Amino acid sequence: MEELSIYLSGKCKDLPDDGKNWRDEITRKIDVVAGCTNTRVTVVDPVKYFTYSEKKYKTQKQVKDYFIYRIRKSDLVVVNLNDSDSSIGTAQEIQFAVDHNIPIIGFGTRNIYPWIAEVDCQVVFDTMNEVVCYIADYYMNGDKSDE
């Protein structure tokens, strides 16, 4: 059985749900698709560990170090590009993935920071569903020899 670890990056701060809703939705969709393949998928949702609304951490360094550790262990990063123009944390997560040759797939259409979408992502889609289909086709059923 193949294994795939996916880190979910995107804005959390100043969002009413701390960025939780889209992460829950994409996790459900990826789980459904993975159930139809021979791939065991681990989706790393950082807001399950630390949020701005419920302070379970002692320092921001603790939060950043943990997120970077989880990205380093991931095979793929999915980034919600919406509002990335006002999220330094998202930019730092994506830069870490770029520096460590971890593929990045983006989606979104609103308030996008152009470097993330146009320079850092291997591919960008408008919708979450397109991302899930791409992951299913390329990372669960496809040939990854081009990486």
Side-chain angles (χ1 to χ4, degrees):
M1 175 174 279
E2 297 223 12
E3 294 189 17
L4 180 66
S5 178
I6 303 171
Y7 183 90
L8 303 179
S9 180
K11 184 171 178 156
C12 299
K13 188 175 182 183
D14 300 326
L15 296 178
D17 69 344
D18 284 327
K20 182 180 181 323
N21 291 339
W22 80 265
R23 287 176 172 90
D24 287 347
E25 183 179 351
I26 198 166
T27 298
R28 281 190 304 273
K29 291 174 186 245
I30 290 170
D31 286 345
V32 167
V33 171
C36 300
T37 70
N38 194 27
T39 306
R40 179 180 302 142
V41 178
T42 301
V43 178
V44 179
D45 176 353
V47 300
K48 290 197 182 299
Y49 304 97
F50 299 104
T51 65
Y52 285 97
S53 61
E54 185 179 349
K55 188 175 175 184
K56 295 181 181 178
Y57 53 88
K58 297 292 183 193
T59 68
Q60 287 294 325
K61 179 168 178 37
Q62 173 193 9
V63 175
K64 180 180 178 182
D65 286 351
Y66 183 74
F67 291 172
I68 295 302
Y69 167 80
R70 295 306 301 254
I71 295 167
R72 183 181 294 119
K73 300 288 185 184
S74 296
D75 301 302
L76 176 66
V77 172
V78 171
V79 60
N80 181 341
L81 295 166
N82 290 323
D83 302 314
S84 57
D85 65 345
S86 62
S87 179
I88 189 69
T90 300
Q92 289 189 352
E93 289 175 339
I94 296 307
Q95 187 59 56
F96 183 86
V98 167
D99 292 345
H100 291 83
N101 298 313
I102 300 166
I104 303 160
I105 300 171
F107 74 94
T109 59
R110 183 182 74 247
N111 303 320
I112 296 173
Y113 190 75
W115 287 8
I116 297 174
E118 297 171 21
V119 179
D120 297 334
C121 292
Q122 277 69 27
V123 64
V124 173
F125 298 99
D126 290 340
T127 69
M128 180 187 309
N129 286 339
E130 291 171 296
V131 169
V132 173
C133 289
Y134 181 82
I135 291 170
D137 289 344
Y138 187 73
Y139 287 90
M140 294 182 194
N141 296 323
D143 176 13
K144 297 189 282 187
S145 63
D146 292 339
E147 289 182 21

